[in-house]
Every structure is written in structure tokens, then in C-alpha cells.
């Protein structure tokens, strides 16, 4: 067996390189037989076949050829029967493609199948029967059924032979289409009487190297004479038929006539084709010769048909004709879309022009009905291109973005150009794989969160959230707290951020009074490579909580001393007693303070301002009111729940200092120790105490020095000293109504502070009684003492030591009138000598008691604490001093003061000498002075003592 291999390669200028190779092989080759070395013929390396995953694409056809990638050759996969594959069609060829990937390429391969003589000629019928009249003339022709040979060319049917006869011979008649008709020709007249039945053998032989043949029996019945045979009007009839014509449609009509008469002229029509499919599709009416459609006619199966029709009379004479039937194609087939190769996943950074899918489209229709165009749906970044006839490639047309579309359903529609047009479609699903091209984005441009102070460490404050448009690992966001400082410390000591959830948690407990807000930055980073990130500013606002109680700044209550405010019995309604000053270090409503009177000795006498804490009288003070008044004031903030503090205020209702002393000498009080008293305040008090002791010692030294001089003067004069007289109702007209004289220490401090400032201030116009058993004696006079000499004129005080009205003292900052009323009114009757002696003894007793109280932890003076003091607390002094029994008046004039002091000293020394001489023993033992005519002040004092 010989085999011819035809090889040709053509390179097309397309988007991919395509080649075409043709081979020729005989049919019926054994499995595994070599077809050709495709790698060598295409110029491809075997490695390319392996890396490109080379494979054969045949569409819907059966695969007869297989590719051996290891050797790069084509082999027979299945037995090839040319007659089964192509029938009578020549040439017979297999068409398929070889597909390569990475990059995608395909090559067209054609394998021609040559015929071998593997089929013997055969007749459709093993017997043929004829009725021949004995009157048949020599040369009469009788058409025989042709034998069929599936082989083609020289291997097909070549000759016929007839055996065992002397009457007939075989004659082959050429046809216009190249075929041959087989006729049996009468060579010798028949004689029915000699031989009524004749049996012949018809043999058909092909032309192959090893000839093959087939036989059929011919049975002839000799009839009586019928000397005219039917004759067709034309030997060949031509007609057309549209495919899919309905069953029963008349395709063509043949006609024959017989010159005989009677029964011998009756003609019968029949189809004489030996090909079975013709008889399955068409049928002919045996009486009128109409050819009809029996089954569906399909152009794609056969483009034309040749139908042989025989006309026979009753005498056995026949004639034949041929009907050539052309089938007209209609557009009855949709394009068939076959996916040659496709990619299911493509990265979003693929460049435009990347091949995604290769498509082969087949339409078995002809002409325009078989011409196909393909398109895809709009608004997608893809396009479809035609490479060769019926081959298309789907490529990317623009940049891809997975975040905009992660998947595409590409609908490919292929339509033919028939009328009406038919189309088919297929949907391709393409996944877009992610590339890390998007940074995380926070939901807000900045965050603000609130947290209440005194929180528990580890408390979740809020959550920051960032989203990444990428997918999977590229979209996995981690949160990182950026390094920064807050109040000099790292921000990580204040808050922490969960790397996975973005939850911001407190690391410590916050105190609003120390820090009110702070901010930091949080970075969101994805898990891509390289990672992308973004950051956001977070501001934490600390909300105040009512965690601080109000702190009372004034009056200050310590364990050593409780102070008292003094209210004269002449005080009117609304008289300002003092002012409670308190602060709250909280903020907002938590720091709004209100003052309420909780307890009082006489609730009908005092009231407290709800907002300002001012204690005022609500009625006129009377003589029946007790001297000792104790008030408990509650300072409450506006928080929820509210916090409060209490302060005790002691008020003395009296007009004179001695009256208050008599009531408060044995006054006991609860010593409340202030645990918040700091070392600095104690140190300041100790320094002030030391300075005060030094001042007392200095004063006593001066007094002793003067007393010695007076003793010398008494010896010379022998007179009693003159005691200054203070009227019972003597008061500062513009004062605040408290006792007149006090040493005031200004202590300025803040709550919870360990630093306090203390300064010594000049004597105040108010006298405050210390309630722990000690007394503070007055050391300055601010009222004008009037001289008995009516002719003497008062001079105004020196302006160098006077202060403005804005510097006047008072608990609430209120001062007296602009100018102090001058003491020009008449004085009460001057005291007797006994009363002067009593006053002198009381003064000495007060000095001794004050000196005795100067010890560790106590002070002989009362201290007043206030949050802020100004020069208002310095009184306006009027230093005109009146000396009873003397005509001299001390003024601010230096010369007059010097003269008055000398006169005063002389009078005092004389008075003291007289008193000592009168009762020397009683004065040394400090006895109670003899009772004289009582003044209003002495009457009140004695009455109170008797009550006690």
C-alpha cells in the first residue's frame, strides 16, 4: 500500500500565527499508524507542544486522529472507513485544528482519506424478473438494475458480464452525468414454445488490484407477442425542490406512451434506483408518473438527487428516464458555536488585547445563509475579532477593574445573513482576579469619641472602621496605632487599638481634671504585597463626672480654731454677716453650687443666698437674741448624684468685745481635723505664729520700758493713769457690723493644692473672737476720740495711709460708705476712777491670757481664710484719739501728735500712780475692781454673767 503525504504550510497575518498542513492516507489503517510528524512539519519544538498543552479540536466530529505530544506525531486513533465517512464524495478529507495555549495558537490540519478496494459490487436485489414477448425483435433492450460499489475511482464498478445464455448480451450505455446504464440486448429471437423460462447470472466486477465482484439472478418469462415498448417523452427530466418541503408535495411528473393497444398499452411507472435513500425520500405514482416527497428533504444531507424512473407495459416492454432534482437551500440552521479554548480567570491588570477565548462557528447552510457574524453585549471591556473564516477570538478591549466588576457574563451572539436571520448565543463567565491596587478607606475623615472619666481600664471606647475595595488577602485590614505623645507620654499608655477589629480601648482610667481631650492617629493597612495604607485622626473627649465634692474655701475650719463673725444688735434686715465661698473642680452642671442653711440656732434670724452663699439677717436683731449663734451651711453641686459639703459658721450677736468674751470663754466646739491640711500651710502658720510672738515680746518690752519711766513719773506726780474710754455702742458707721479689730492673715490657696500663700495684713475693722478659749485684743483704733476741749479743732487724717472705698474690707467684697462719719456727737458720761481701774485690770488680764495661749499648734489671734483678698480688707483708720479727762486730742499732725503724746503720758502716769497707791495689794493680785456706777456695756456684761 502506498501513501502520499502532501505538506504545505501557509502563515496568515493574524493576531495569532496559524499554519495549515495537509496529509493523505489510505483508509482502513490500523490503530496507532503514523499519519505525519506534525511538529517537524509545523516547525514547532516538542517542548512547545508540551508547554502549550497541545490538543486536537474537531468540533462535533468524531476524532479519528490523535496527537502524540511526546513524539510530535499524528497517529490513527480509530479505524477510518472512507465509505462510511464520505460515501461517494471525493475527495474525502478530515479537517481539524491543533490548539496551543500560553500564548494561544491554532493550526488547521487536513487529512485526505484515499480509497482502497475494500468493497465488492453488490445488487440491491438478488433477483430480477422479466416478462419478454416472444415477438420481441432482435436488438430489443431490457434495462437491468445497476450494481452498487461503495468504492470510488478505479476501485469502483467497472464491468458487467452475463452467463448461461445464447439469446442475450450485456451492453453498457454512457450517461450524461458520467454514469453507465446496463442493458440486456436480445440477440436471438425467443420461442416461448421452446423455452418459456430462462435463468441468467449477471456479474458486476470492479477495477481494483484484487478484483471483487457481485452477482444477481435474472429470471425471464417468455410471453406472448407485444411488439411495442413504452417510450418516455424525454430521457432526462430536471426539477428543483426546496428543502423541508411538506410531505406529499409533487416534485416532478414523467410521461411515457406505448404504441400498442389494449392491455399491451397500459404503462406502469416505478423508481428503479438501487440507492435506498432515494426510495425512502421520494415516491412515484405508478399510474400517472407524478414524483412526490415522501420524507423531509435536507439540503445539508444532499444538494441534488438523480432518480431513475421505468415505464413498463403489460407485455413486459420497458423504457427508462432520469429525473435530476436540485435541492434549494433555505436558512433553516442556526450557527453552531463551539468553544475551542477559553480562560476562566484573568487578572485585573491584564493589558488590552489579551486573548480570552477562541471560538469556532459552523453553519451548514449555503451562501449567505451560511455566512456568520459574531458580536458581544455592550458596555463591557471586551471585543470579538474574526481571525479566519468561521474562527473568532474574544480579547480585552480596555483596562479591567475588579472593584468595579469582579465577574463578567459575556454573551456571544452569532447570526447568519439569511432572510430571516438565525442566530445562536452562548454565555461565557469570566472571573477577574484581584490585584492590590486600592488602599483602605476609613468610613469617616476623622473620628470623635466621648468617654466618661474614672472609666475602667480596658473599656472599649468606640470602633474605627476602614474598608478595602480589594478582595481576600488584599482586603484584609489591620489597624495600627501610630506613635505620638500626649502630655509628654506615649499615646500607647492612654489607648490601644485592636489590630483586627479596630476597637479603641482605654489603657488607663482618665481624669477630666487632669486631661480633657487628646487626639492620635490610627493607620489602616491591608494585607497585600506591597501593602497599602491610610490613616485617620481620632479625638477622644473626656466627659466630666461628678467625682469631686465642693471645697469650702471660706470660712476655713481647722482643728485648732473656729472663727466667729460678729453681728451688732443694731443690724437691720438684710445685714451681710459673712459669705461662704466654695469651689468645685468639676465642670458644667457638676460645678454649679448652691448654698442651703441646714441647721441654725435661730432659723428665723439668718438666711443663706442660694447662689452666692451670702449669710444675711432676715429680720431685725433684738436684745433677746442669743449671743452665740451657730449656723450649718450645706454646699451642694448640681451633679447626678449630687455631692455636698458642710461648713459651720459661728456668729456672735453683740455690740462690744467684752460682751462677746464673757459668752465665748467657755464655749466648746467639736474639733474637726482637716486631713487635707498640708505641710506648707502648717509651716506658714508656724512662721506667722513666730512673727506674732516676736511682735508681742517687742510690744511687752516697750510697755515695760514705758512702765518703768511712768513709775518714775508717778513718784514725781502721784496721779492715776487716764484710761481711754470706749462707748458701748461705738461702731464704724461704714463697717460691716462685726467686732472692730483683728489681725487678718490673707491665705490664698486652691483646693487640692499643696502650695499656699500667706501674707500679713494690717488690722481689720472687724474683730473676730477665737472660740477655743483664747482672745485677741484690739491693737488699733479707727474711731475718732473726741477731746473734752470744745475749742480744739479736728484735723483730717493724713492721706498717706488712707485707702479708697474699693479697698474696704468685708466678706462679700462690700465696703462702707465713701467717707467715714466723723465722731462729732456727744459722748456718754465719763467713767469713774473705779471703772477706769477695772478696764485697766481687764486689759492686763487679756494681755496675759493672749501671751499664755501662744504655744505649739495654737495662735493668740484668729485667722481668716478667703480665696482671694485685696486691699479692701485694710480698714480706713482715723487716728484721732480722745483721752477722757484730758483736753488733748491726738491727730495725724506730727507736731501736735508729739505734744499730745507727752501730755497723755503725763496724765496716764499720774492716774496709774494714784491707782497703785489706792489699792496696791489688789492690783498686784488682779482682784475684781470695785463696782461703780454701771454703764450700759457693763450692765449687759454683768447680766449675761449672772445668767451663765
Amino acid at each position: 500500500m502506498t501513501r502520499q503525504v502532501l505538506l504545505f504550510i501557509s502563515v496568515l497575518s493574524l493576531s495569532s500565527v496559524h499554519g495549515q498542513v495537509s496529509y493523505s492516507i489510505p483508509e482502513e489503517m490500523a490503530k496507532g499508524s503514523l499519519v505525519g510528524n506534525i511538529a517537524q512539519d509545523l516547525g514547532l519544538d516538542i517542548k512547545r507542544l508540551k508547554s502549550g498543552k497541545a490538543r486536537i479540536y474537531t468540533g462535533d466530529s468524531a476524532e479519528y486522529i490523535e496527537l502524540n505530544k511526546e513524539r510530535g506525531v499524528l497517529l490513527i486513533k480509530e479505524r477510518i472507513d472512507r465509505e462510511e465517512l464520505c460515501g461517494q464524495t471525493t475527495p474525502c478529507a478530515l479537517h481539524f485544528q491543533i490548539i496551543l495555549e500560553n500564548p494561544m495558537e491554532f493550526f488547521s490540519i487536513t487529512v485526505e482519506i484515499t480509497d482502497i478496494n475494500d468493497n465488492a459490487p453488490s445488487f440491491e436485489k438478488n433477483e430480477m424478473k422479466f416478462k419478454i414477448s416472444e415477438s420481441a425483435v432482435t436488438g430489443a433492450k431490457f434495462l437491468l438494475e445497476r450494481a452498487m460499489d461503495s468504492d470510488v475511482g478505479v476501485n469502483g464498478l467497472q464491468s458487467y458480464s452475463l452467463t448461461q445464455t445464447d439469446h442475450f448480451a450485456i451492453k453498457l450505455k454512457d450517461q450524461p452525468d458520467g454514469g453507465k446504464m446496463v442493458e440486456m440486448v436480445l440477440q436471438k429471437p425467443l420461442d416461448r414454445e421452446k423455452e418459456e423460462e430462462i435463468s441468467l447470472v449477471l456479474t458486476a466486477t470492479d477495477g481494483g488490484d484484487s478484483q471483487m465482484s457481485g452477482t444477481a439472478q435474472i429470471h425471464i418469462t417468455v410471453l406472448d407477442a407485444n411488439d411495442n415498448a413504452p417510450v418516455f417523452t424525454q430521457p432526462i427530466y430536471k426539477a428543483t425542490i426546496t428543502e423541508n418541503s411538506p410531505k406529499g408535495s409533487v416534485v416532478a411528473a414523467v410521461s411515457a406512451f406505448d404504441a400498442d393497444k389494449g392491455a399491451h398499452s397500459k404503462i406502469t411507472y416505478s423508481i428503479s434506483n438501487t440507492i435506498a435513500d432515494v426510495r425512502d425520500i421520494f415516491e412515484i405514482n405508478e399510474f400517472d408518473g407524478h414524483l412526490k416527497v415522501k420524507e423531509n428533504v435536507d439540503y445539508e444531507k444532499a444538494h441534488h438527487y438523480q432518480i431513475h424512473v421505468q415505464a413498463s407495459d403489460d407485455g413486459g416492454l420497458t423504457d427508462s428516464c432520469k429525473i435530476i432534482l436540485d435541492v434549494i437551500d433555505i436558512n433553516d440552521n442556526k450557527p453552531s458555536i463551539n468553544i475551542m479554548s477559553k480562560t476562566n480567570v484573568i487578572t485585573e491588570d491584564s493589558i488590552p488585547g489579551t486573548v480570552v477565548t477562541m471560538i469556532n462557528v459552523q453553519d451548514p447552510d449555503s451562501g449567505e445563509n451560511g455566512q456568520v457574524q459574531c458580536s458581544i453585549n455592550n458596555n463591557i471591556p471586551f471585543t470579538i475579532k474574526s481571525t479566519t473564516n468561521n474562527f473568532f477570538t474574544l480579547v480585552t478591549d480596555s483596562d479591567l477593574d475588579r472593584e468595579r466588576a469582579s465577574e463578567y457574563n459575556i454573551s456571544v451572539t452569532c447570526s447568519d445573513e439569511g432572510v430571516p436571520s438565525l442566530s445562536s448565543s452562548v454565555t461565557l463567565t469570566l472571573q477577574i482576579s484581584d490585584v492590590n491596587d486600592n488602599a483602605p478607606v476609613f468610613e469617616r475623615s476623622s473620628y470623635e469619641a466621648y468617654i466618661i472619666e474614672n472609666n475602667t481600664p480596658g473599656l472599649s471606647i468606640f470602633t474605627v472602621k476602614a474598608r478595602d475595595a480589594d478582595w481576600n488577602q488584599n482586603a484584609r485590614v489591620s489597624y495600627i496605632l501610630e506613635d505620638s505623645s500626649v502630655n509628654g507620654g506615649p499615646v500607647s499608655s492612654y489607648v490601644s487599638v485592636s489590630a483586627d477589629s479596630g476597637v479603641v480601648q482605654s489603657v488607663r482610667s482618665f481624669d477630666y481634671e487632669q486631661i480633657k481631650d487628646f487626639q492620635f492617629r490610627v493607620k489602616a493597612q491591608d494585607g497585600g504585597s506591597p501593602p497599602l495604607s491610610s490613616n485617620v485622626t481620632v479625638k477622644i473627649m473626656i466627659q466630666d463626672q461628678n467625682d469631686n465634692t465642693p471645697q469650702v474655701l471660706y470660712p476655713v475650719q481647722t482643728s485648732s480654731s473656729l472663727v466667729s463673725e460678729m453681728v451688732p444688735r443694731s443690724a437691720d434686715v438684710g445685714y451681710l454677716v459673712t459669705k461662704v465661698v466654695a469651689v468645685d473642680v468639676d465642670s458644667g452642671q457638676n460645678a454649679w453650687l448652691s448654698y442651703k442653711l441646714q441647721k441654725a440656732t435661730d432659723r428665723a434670724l439668718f438666711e443663706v443666698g442660694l447662689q452666692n452663699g451670702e449669710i444675711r439677717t432676715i429680720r431685725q436683731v433684738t436684745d433677746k437674741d442669743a449671743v452665740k449663734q451657730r449656723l450649718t451651711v450645706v454646699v451642694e453641686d448640681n451633679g447626678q448624684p449630687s455631692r455636698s459639703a458642710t461648713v459651720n459658721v459661728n456668729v456672735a450677736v453683740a455690740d462690744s468685745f467684752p460682751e462677746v468674751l464673757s459668752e465665748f470663754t467657755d464655749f466648746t466646739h467639736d474639733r474637726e481635723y482637716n486631713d487635707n491640711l498640708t505641710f506648707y500651710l502648717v509651716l506658714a502658720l508656724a512662721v506667722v505664729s513666730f512673727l506674732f510672738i516676736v511682735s508681742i515680746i517687742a510690744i511687752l518690752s516697750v510697755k515695760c520700758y514705758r512702765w518703768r519711766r511712768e513709775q518714775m513719773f508717778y513718784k514725781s506726780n502721784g496721779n492715776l493713769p487716764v484710761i481711754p474710754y470706749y462707748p458701748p455702742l461705738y461702731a464704724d458707721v461704714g463697717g460691716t457690723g462685726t467686732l472692730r479689730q483683728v489681725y487678718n492673715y490673707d491665705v490664698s490657696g486652691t483646693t487640692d493644692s499643696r502650695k499656699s500663700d500667706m501674707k500679713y495684713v494690717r488690722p481689720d475693722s472687724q474683730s473676730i473672737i477665737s472660740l477655743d478659749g483664747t482672745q485677741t485684743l484690739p491693737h488699733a483704733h479707727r474711731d475718732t476720740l473726741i477731746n473734752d476741749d470744745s475749742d480744739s479743732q479736728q484735723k483730717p487724717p493724713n492721706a498717706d495711709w488712707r485707702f479708697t472705698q474699693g479697698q474696704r474690707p468685708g466678706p462679700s467684697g462690700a465696703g462702707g460708705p465713701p467717707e467715714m462719719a466723723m465722731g462729732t456727737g456727744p459722748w456718754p458720761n465719763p467713767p469713774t476712777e473705779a471703772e477706769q481701774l477695772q478696764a485697766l485690770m481687764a486689759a492686763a488680764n487679756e494681755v496675759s491670757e493672749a501671751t499664755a495661749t501662744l504655744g505649739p499648734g495654737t495662735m493668740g489671734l484668729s485667722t481668716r481664710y478667703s480665696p482671694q483678698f485685696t486691699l479692701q480688707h485694710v480698714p480706713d483708720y482715723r487716728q484721732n484719739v480722745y483721752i477722757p479727762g484730758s483736753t488733748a486730742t491726738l491727730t495725724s499732725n506730727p507736731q501736735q501728735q508729739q505734744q499730745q503724746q507727752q501730755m497723755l503720758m503725763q496724765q496716764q502716769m499720774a492716774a496709774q500712780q494714784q491707782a497703785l497707791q489706792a489699792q496696791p495689794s489688789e492690783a498686784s493680785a488682779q482682784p475684781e475692781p470695785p463696782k461703780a456706777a454701771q454703764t450700759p456695756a457693763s450692765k449687759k456684761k454683768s447680766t449675761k454673767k449672772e445668767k451663765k
Side-chain angles (χ1 to χ4, degrees), residues 161-449:
S161 63
L162 192 61
T163 60
Q164 300 179 0
T165 181
D166 295 331
H167 297 278
F168 297 94
I170 294 297
K171 182 179 180 180
L172 299 179
K173 184 178 181 182
D174 295 329
Q175 296 293 316
D177 59 347
K180 293 181 179 181
M181 293 182 61
V182 183
E183 294 180 343
M184 183 176 63
V185 180
L186 181 62
Q187 293 181 344
K188 183 179 178 180
L190 297 175
D191 189 357
R192 184 188 63 81
E193 290 71 23
K194 292 182 177 180
E195 191 175 14
E196 187 177 0
E197 299 286 337
I198 301 175
S199 294
L200 303 175
V201 177
L202 179 64
T203 302
T205 305
D206 60 19
D209 291 340
S210 56
Q211 289 185 342
M212 303 180 72
S213 61
T215 60
Q217 296 292 326
I218 300 176
H219 297 282
I220 299 174
T221 300
V222 180
L223 301 176
D224 198 11
N226 182 19
D227 55 353
N228 290 291
V231 178
F232 282 98
T233 57
Q234 57 188 55
I236 297 176
Y237 292 87
K238 292 184 178 181
T240 60
I241 182 175
T242 304
E243 68 172 327
N244 299 328
S245 294
K247 295 179 182 180
S249 300
V250 177
V251 178
V254 295
S255 177
F257 67 93
D258 196 326
D260 295 330
K261 290 184 180 178
H264 295 290
S265 64
K266 186 178 180 181
I267 300 175
T268 301
Y269 300 95
S270 64
I271 296 176
S272 62
N273 287 62
T274 58
I275 299 177
D277 60 347
V278 173
R279 292 179 179 175
D280 293 338
I281 298 173
F282 301 99
E283 64 181 358
I284 192 168
N285 191 313
E286 62 180 1
F287 301 108
D288 57 13
H290 289 175
L291 184 66
K292 296 180 180 180
V293 177
K294 183 179 180 182
E295 293 293 340
N296 185 42
V297 179
D298 190 356
Y299 173 84
E300 286 70 42
K301 291 183 179 180
H303 300 338
H304 55 83
Y305 293 93
Q306 292 184 5
I307 304 173
H308 297 273
V309 178
Q310 177 177 294
S312 302
D313 58 15
D314 286 344
L317 299 179
T318 62
D319 192 11
S320 65
C321 71
K322 183 169 63 174
I323 300 175
I324 299 177
L325 186 62
D326 293 327
V327 181
I328 300 176
D329 181 44
I330 64 172
N331 192 23
D332 60 339
N333 291 282
K334 295 181 180 180
S336 175
I337 301 175
N338 301 308
I339 305 299
M340 298 172 58
S341 180
K342 70 175 182 177
T343 300
N344 295 324
V345 180
I346 186 172
T347 59
E348 62 177 324
D349 58 350
S350 299
I351 61 175
T354 303
V355 178
V356 177
T357 303
M358 288 185 176
I359 300 174
N360 172 248
V361 183
Q362 298 292 337
D363 193 329
D365 293 327
S366 64
E368 293 183 350
N369 296 332
Q371 295 181 3
V372 180
Q373 297 295 330
C374 293
S375 63
I376 60 175
N377 45 315
N378 298 325
N379 301 323
I380 58 174
F382 300 94
T383 186
I384 192 167
K385 297 181 179 179
S386 175
T387 55
T388 58
N389 188 24
N390 296 333
F391 286 92
F392 299 88
T393 57
L394 181 67
V395 298
T396 58
D397 187 43
S398 60
D399 294 332
L400 303 177
D401 187 1
R402 190 204 68 83
E403 288 69 43
R404 186 172 63 246
S406 62
E407 180 181 280
Y408 289 95
N409 292 321
I410 306 171
S411 178
V412 180
T413 302
C414 297
S415 304
D416 58 29
E417 296 182 0
V419 179
S421 176
L422 299 179
S423 63
S424 298
S425 62
V426 64
T427 300
L428 305 175
T429 300
L430 182 63
Q431 302 286 338
I432 309 299
S433 62
D434 185 49
V435 175
N436 190 26
D437 56 350
N438 290 277
V441 178
F442 283 94
E443 294 178 347
R444 302 182 191 174
S445 58
S446 62
Y447 288 88
E448 284 190 1

Side-chain angles (χ1 to χ4, degrees), residues 53-181:
K53 300 178 181 179
R55 57 187 176 87
I56 292 178
Y57 172 78
T58 61
D60 295 333
S61 302
E63 291 186 11
Y64 294 97
I65 308 297
E66 67 178 355
L67 173 64
N68 188 325
K69 292 183 286 184
E70 302 294 332
R71 298 167 52 194
V73 296
L74 296 176
L75 303 176
I76 299 297
K77 183 178 181 181
E78 296 291 339
R79 184 185 68 84
I80 301 175
D81 187 356
R82 192 206 66 81
E83 289 75 24
E84 180 182 356
L85 182 65
C86 300
Q88 297 296 314
T89 303
T90 57
C92 180
L94 295 175
H95 300 278
F96 57 90
Q97 289 77 35
I98 294 180
I99 306 298
L100 296 176
E101 297 180 358
N102 298 323
M104 290 187 179
E105 296 177 293
F106 72 94
F107 304 89
S108 296
I109 309 298
T110 301
V111 178
E112 182 180 3
I113 310 300
T114 60
D115 184 54
I116 63 173
N117 191 20
D118 58 341
N119 291 282
S122 62
F123 293 90
E124 183 180 10
K125 294 181 179 179
N126 294 329
E127 278 187 355
M128 290 180 281
K129 293 180 180 182
F130 293 93
K131 293 179 180 180
I132 302 174
S133 175
E134 63 179 350
S135 62
V137 297
T138 304
K141 300 176 181 179
F142 302 94
L143 183 64
L144 302 177
E145 289 187 3
R146 294 185 301 171
M148 297 301 299
D149 193 342
S150 299
D151 296 328
V152 294
V154 295
N155 296 324
L157 181 63
Q158 297 295 326
S159 62
Y160 291 90
S161 63
L162 192 61
T163 60
Q164 300 179 0
T165 181
D166 295 331
H167 297 278
F168 297 94
I170 294 297
K171 182 179 180 180
L172 299 179
K173 184 178 181 182
D174 295 329
Q175 296 293 316
D177 59 347
K180 293 181 179 181
M181 293 182 61

